[in-house]
Amino acid sequence: MEIIDGKKISAQVKQEIADEVSRMANEGKKIPHLAAVLVGNDPASETYVASKVKACQAVGIKSSELRYSSDITEEQLLEVIDKLNADEDVDGFIVQLPLPKHISEENVLNRISPDKDVDGFHPCNVGRMVLGLPTFLPATPAGIVELLSRYNIETEGKHCVVVGRSNIVGTPMSVLMSRKAKHANCTVTMCHSRTQNLKEITLQADILIVAMGVPRFIKADMVKEGAVVVDVGIHRIPSDKTKSGWQLVGDVDFEHVAPKCAYITPVPGGVGPMTIVTLLKNTLLACSRKHA
Ligand code: BQF
């Protein structure tokens, strides 16, 4: 069993991005600029935005954080987006999800200019991804493909089972793994909350990608010997094993599943850091595209 070290790989990719940014600067090109919009003060969202800003700083990408109170109206938020769309200096921006209940995520995502949509959530970019056209790939699925490829994990012809069908992870993940591309070419099965005999299907997975949002749901008896397991879940649960009184766990019961795997991603330090790295890559792409 080998642990897939997302932290290590993300550090390598960040170094490559930093080299590219400094090359751009030396050639007198514009420094890429990412803006992040944060609405409200959900602690997890605060952490995610802080990690993104910190990662930008580490690679020399300019960043701005725009914070608004959770009582901002949808109309006001749409105005913020219009301003960012029009801001010549901003190459790409994200609106941190989830948004407060009174704001339609759909309306917000539709308003982001597809050219600045570095999360790849605009319907235009989702469509381009499905068609295999160049676009901003969604951060978590693209980060997972990058991770598998950097570990030289064979995917061609393998049975990849994706558990979860969210717009952000499950759905794009199944699309990317089934593409006719070097680090894809899988036979993909997508499972979700209405799937019957889930265990029968997960047991067939050569590559099992879990994004269902239930802490430690995938148990050892649901995983084939020698499988590659990718855990997208991230949950903060109470623990008596840590000083802080809580710990992070994924959707996979790591302790019992890991011994059966050829490869497995840990939580934290697996998929999460790669999500951030894709965002940086997309920002670089947004900038070089605009100034090509
Ligand atoms: C790590 C996210 C659920 C809902 C909205 C590194 C991140 C997480 C973990 C991170 C996530 C999850 C992000 C680790 C961004 C991934 O070391 O394991 C980084 O910052 N993520 C998000 O922006 O919105 C979410 C999960």
Side-chain angles (χ1 to χ4, degrees):
M1 187 270 295
E2 187 173 348
I3 292 188
I4 298 179
D5 190 341
K7 216 175 148 88
K8 183 180 84 185
I9 302 296
S10 74
Q12 287 171 8
V13 184
K14 275 196 229 167
Q15 187 55 58
E16 295 166 15
I17 295 169
D19 293 347
E20 176 71 15
V21 173
S22 71
R23 201 184 53 78
M24 288 162 84
N26 287 336
E27 288 175 2
K29 296 213 171 98
K30 182 184 178 298
I31 300 294
H33 180 185
L34 173 76
V37 177
L38 174 58
V39 178
N41 46 17
D42 171 65
S45 293
E46 299 243 12
T47 309
Y48 297 145
V49 170
S51 314
K52 292 169 190 180
V53 168
K54 194 175 146 214
C56 284
Q57 284 164 353
V59 301
I61 290 178
K62 181 178 170 187
S63 60
S64 335
E65 198 180 320
L66 287 78
R67 290 172 145 263
Y68 299 93
S69 134
S70 59
D71 61 16
I72 188 174
T73 65
E74 182 174 311
E75 208 167 314
Q76 287 169 325
L77 184 57
L78 293 175
E79 276 170 32
V80 169
I81 291 169
D82 288 341
K83 283 219 177 83
L84 289 168
N85 284 338
D87 188 331
E88 280 290 325
D89 195 63
V90 171
D91 298 294
F93 66 96
I94 62 157
V95 178
Q96 181 64 41
L97 301 181
L99 288 169
K101 296 269 178 289
H102 66 278
I103 299 176
S104 154
E105 286 185 357
E106 193 191 347
N107 291 347
V108 167
L109 298 180
N110 286 350
R111 191 75 157 236
I112 299 173
S113 163
D115 295 330
K116 295 194 179 188
D117 172 36
V118 286
D119 263 340
F121 295 158
H122 190 284
C124 225
N125 288 325
V126 177
R128 295 182 63 85
M129 174 200 62
V130 173
L131 294 171
L133 300 170
T135 186
F136 300 115
L137 294 176
T140 300
I144 291 169
V145 171
E146 178 91 47
L147 207 46
L148 297 175
S149 108
R150 298 237 176 188
Y151 269 83
N152 289 313
I153 292 170
E154 185 67 61
T155 57
E156 191 147 317
K158 302 291 183 190
H159 187 191
C160 174
V161 174
V162 176
V163 189
R165 57 176 158 187
S166 71
N167 291 344
I168 294 179
V169 184
T171 297
M173 192 75 241
S174 67
V175 171
L176 293 188
M177 295 308 284
S178 57
R179 286 196 301 186
K180 193 165 188 167
K182 184 148 188 284
H183 297 288
N185 270 318
C186 286
T187 302
V188 175
T189 302
M190 186 195 273
C191 302
H192 46 73
S193 53
R194 301 290 194 275
T195 297
Q196 295 181 359
N197 312 323
L198 178 65
K199 181 176 154 184
E200 251 170 55
I201 300 167
T202 58
L203 272 170
Q204 295 169 31
D206 302 310
I207 301 169
L208 179 61
I209 303 179
V210 193
M212 55 191 303
V214 182
R216 292 183 175 138
F217 182 89
I218 299 294
K219 307 291 184 200
D221 67 353
M222 301 172 79
V223 177
K224 180 167 77 174
E225 193 72 44
V228 175
V229 173
V230 176
D231 189 351
V232 186
I234 182 154
H235 313 274
R236 193 188 262 240
I237 63 160
S239 166
D240 47 27
K241 288 190 200 123
T242 62
K243 255 194 254 168
S244 60
W246 57 267
Q247 72 176 124
L248 290 175
V249 302
D251 290 351
V252 175
D253 180 10
F254 183 90
E255 188 194 344
H256 301 106
V257 170
K260 296 186 81 173
C261 297
Y263 294 91
I264 186 167
T265 63
V267 176
V271 171
M274 296 304 291
T275 299
I276 305 275
V277 148
T278 314
L279 178 64
L280 300 176
K281 279 191 158 189
N282 282 346
T283 304
L284 203 59
L285 180 65
C287 181
S288 40
R289 244 200 213 169
K290 194 166 64 164
H291 301 278

